[in-house]
Amino acid sequence: MGSRSTRSEGVLASWNDERGFGFVTRDDGERLFAHISAFPPRDARPAPGERLSFAVERTSDDKVRARNIRYLAASGRPLRTRKRRPGGMRYVVLVTFAVAIGIVTAIGALPWLFAALYLTMSLITYGSYAADKKAAQTKQWRVSESALLGLGLFGGWPGAIVAQQHLRHKTQKATFRQAFWGTVVLNILVFAILTTALREPILELARLILAASSA
């Protein structure tokens, strides 16, 4: 899909913080879609009335949106933005898990197919996040949050972390973040059970439960 970009200025006319997008009114009166991923990071969320500088992107299907947004002023006063380290702790969790799964695979405590499964699910999950972000920007059918969480629960959460940070998607909604990290904890717990001394007692308990249910 082709596009051409020019730079302009305007005012944030409206903002839906729950859904992470709003609309910018350019100085010439044109109204443009603006997604949270187009804004630079700062402590405060975007607010109506703020003056912005942005690239105007007009796609091949003649839709327009604001990209590469910069804050200029709010109520006539310059805004200060503060750079933050994006997702530092998330990458610590990701690297630690990658090292752990590499070690247990190398020593034979876990079949290599498990590592392949995590990699495959992570690629699928990353693609799903990318598709959802594109759908949000173009107002198309979205990937449901339950589907994204389910992919993470079944081994795709490393890819979800990379997608969240690289695509700047699904990082603002508090309820989603809490649910996401719940799936990460649950997945890691299952992984730990399968790769430690807890594995045999848990499996034996599962066998007893299955035997009792079939009796």
Side-chain angles (χ1 to χ4, degrees), residues 118-130:
Y118 273 103
L119 177 59
T120 301
M121 290 300 299
S122 291
L123 291 174
I124 293 172
T125 304
Y126 185 97
S128 298
Y129 272 76

Side-chain angles (χ1 to χ4, degrees), residues 11-205:
V11 174
L12 184 61
S14 63
W15 184 254
N16 187 324
D17 199 47
E18 180 69 16
R19 301 182 66 183
F21 70 82
F23 291 90
V24 174
T25 300
R26 199 162 63 171
D27 288 343
D28 63 4
E30 186 176 16
R31 189 175 172 87
L32 298 87
F33 175 82
H35 189 264
I36 185 62
S37 61
F39 288 79
R42 68 170 187 177
D43 289 339
R45 300 286 284 170
E50 293 185 306
R51 187 156 184 82
L52 309 170
S53 169
F54 46 86
V56 179
E57 184 178 71
R58 189 176 298 274
T59 63
S60 59
D61 55 0
D62 207 34
K63 294 180 179 179
V64 290
R65 58 188 176 186
R67 303 288 291 174
N68 300 321
I69 295 173
R70 299 172 189 164
Y71 293 103
L72 295 180
S75 304
R77 298 178 60 186
L79 286 173
R80 295 180 180 178
T81 60
R82 186 174 71 181
K83 292 184 178 179
R84 296 181 295 175
R85 294 179 61 189
M89 282 304 299
R90 293 178 175 87
Y91 283 119
V92 169
V93 173
L94 184 60
V95 171
T96 301
F97 182 76
V99 171
I101 200 170
I103 291 174
V104 296
T105 301
I107 65 176
L110 193 72
W112 67 268
L113 286 174
F114 273 81
L117 176 63
Y118 273 103
L119 177 59
T120 301
M121 290 300 299
S122 291
L123 291 174
I124 293 172
T125 304
Y126 185 97
S128 298
Y129 272 76
D132 185 58
K133 178 178 179 179
K134 182 177 180 181
Q137 293 173 333
T138 57
K139 300 182 181 180
Q140 302 297 318
W141 190 264
R142 301 284 301 275
V143 179
S144 69
E145 290 188 349
S146 59
L148 295 176
L149 292 172
L151 288 170
L153 177 62
F154 287 100
W157 64 265
I161 288 179
V162 175
Q164 289 170 10
Q165 300 309 306
H166 182 252
L167 302 175
R168 293 181 62 193
H169 187 54
K170 291 294 184 183
T171 60
Q172 301 298 329
K173 189 175 179 181
T175 54
F176 181 86
R177 292 201 311 268
Q178 292 168 358
F180 170 74
W181 284 107
T183 64
V184 173
V185 170
L186 183 57
N187 181 270
I188 292 177
L189 179 61
V190 173
F191 174 80
I193 290 172
L194 292 175
T195 57
T196 65
L198 293 174
R199 177 174 56 184
E200 290 305 322
I202 293 296
L203 290 177
E204 183 60 30
L205 177 61

